[in-house]
Amino acid sequence: MNWIFLQGKEWFQNLSRSLTTPLFYIGDNHLSISAIVRLILLGVAVLIIARAIGEGIKRLLLTRMGLDRGNREAIASVIIYIIAILGILIVLQRAGIDLRTITVLAGVLGIGLGFGLQNLASNFISGLTLLFEQPIKVGDFIEVDNLLGTVENISIRSTIVRTLDGIFVIVPNIKFVENNIINWSYKDPKSRLHMPVGVAYGSDPLLVTEALLAAARAETSVLNRPSPKVWFKGFGDSSLDFELLVWIDHPQDSDIIQSSLNFLIEHELTQQDIVIPFPQRDLWLKNPQDLSTLFNSSIFTNNSENKVFSQNGVFCEQKHSSFQQTKKSALKSPNNWTLRDLLRRVTYFESLTDLKLRKLIEYGYRQLFPQGQIIFRENDVGDSFYIILSGAIEVISEKTGKYIATLHEGEFFGEMSLLLGSPRTATVKTIEDSILFVIEKHDLQRLLEESPSLATDISRKLCERRQALQELGLLDRSSSENTPFTRIRNRIQTLFGI
C-alpha cells in the first residue's frame, strides 16, 4: 500500500515538474505549459467579458439613443475589439511578459506572415474600413457579384449576407472594397422599378396610360410621392412599347411588388379591352396553286362539325357553334370547377374581385383527407375553414346525436367558429377520400386587412347562418338573439385586428 502511495506521489511530482518546466523564454521571463494554459484561459475570459460588455452597451445604451441597426452593430463591434485588445495586453503585462519583446517578435513574424497571409490581411483591413467608413451597414439591402441580400453581420474577416431565399452567404470583406457594390439602403431606401408593357397596335395610348396608373395606385407598396409615371418607349415589331415607373421604399421586396403589379396590370388591361400582342409572322408560299390543287378535296369540306376554308394561302378552321356551347357547359360541370368557381360559391366571397380571389388562393392550400378521417370534433377550437374540391363529408352533432348533412364538391364548412372565435358546433368526418381547400385564420386575416369592407359583408352573412343553426337546434335562441349584426361585426374586427 505504501509502495502505491509513493508511486502516485512520484508521478504527481513528475507531472508538476513537466507543467512548470520552462519551454521557452521571452526576454527575462519563461513560459511553461501551465503558464500558457493560464494565459489561454484568461484570454478566453477577456473575450467573453468584452463581448458581454459590447452587447450590453448595444442593448441598453445605443438602442435608447435611437441609432439604427447598422450603427449599433458597428459601434458595438469596435467597442468589443478595443476591450478585447486592452484586456489581452493587461493579461500579458500581469503575467510578467515585457510587451516590448512582443513588439519585436510581432514585427519579425509580421514580415514573414505578411507574404503568406496577404488575403487574410486584406480582408482584415477591409473589415476595419467597413466598420469605420460604413459604406454598408448591418440591415442594408445590397447587391454584390449578382448576389442580392440583407447584411446580417460584419466581422473583421468577412460579412454575412442573407439572400432573399433565406440562405446565409459568407462574403470576404475584400469583395466590398475591390468591387462595385449596389447598396439599395444607402441614405435613402427609395428606388424606382421599371415595368415594361407592350400593347397591340391600334390601342389608345390614353387608355393604356390610365390602366397602368390605375394598376400602380392599386398596389399598396407603391409610393404616392414620387408619383407613378408612364413612358411611351417606342414602336416595336408587333407592339406599342410602354413602361410603367413606380417608386418603392422596400427594395428587398421588389420581386414581390413586381409580381403583384403584373397581376394588376393584366387585370386593368383586360378591363379596358386592351390586347397584349404576340409576335406576328408572315408566311409566303411560292406555289399556292399547286397546293390548292393537291389539298382541294380535303380543304373545301362542309359538314355539321367543321368548316375549313382557304383565303390568301392561310388555312383556317371554324368549329360549329353547338360544339362551343358544349365546351362551355362542360367547363361549368362540378368536375371542371376551378378554385375561383368554388370560391365564388362561398357566400362570403361571391362579391370579391378576381384580384382578391387570387390572393385568397395564394393564402390557402389543398389537403387530402382519407376516408373515415375526422377533420375536427365538436367543441374544438376553430382555426380554419374548408371548401370541398372532391369527395364527400358528413356533419353530425354529438351533443344531440343528430345527423345534420352530407356535403359534396363545391360546398364549404367550418367558417362560423373561425370568424367568431367560438368552438366548433358539430363533428365533421370524411365518408370517402376527399380533397379540401383549407384557409387558416392568419391567411384570412391578411385578406380582411386588405379588404376591410369584406368584414361587413361576412357579418351580414353570419347573421343568416346563425339563424339557420338556431333552427336546427345547434345554437341557443338566447345567444342568437343577443348577437346582432353590429356585435358580430365588432367581434370580427377585434378578433382579426382590423
Side-chain angles (χ1 to χ4, degrees), residues 177-196:
V177 177
E178 293 182 344
N179 299 335
N180 293 329
I181 308 299
I182 299 177
N183 189 346
W184 298 90
S185 305
Y186 189 74
K187 292 186 177 179
D188 188 357
K190 288 198 295 290
S191 58
R192 189 165 66 176
L193 296 181
H194 295 249
M195 305 290 296

Side-chain angles (χ1 to χ4, degrees), residues 237-251:
D237 292 339
S238 57
S239 64
L240 301 176
D241 296 333
F242 290 83
E243 194 166 76
L244 173 64
L245 296 91
V246 298
W247 288 87
I248 61 174
D249 55 3
H250 291 85

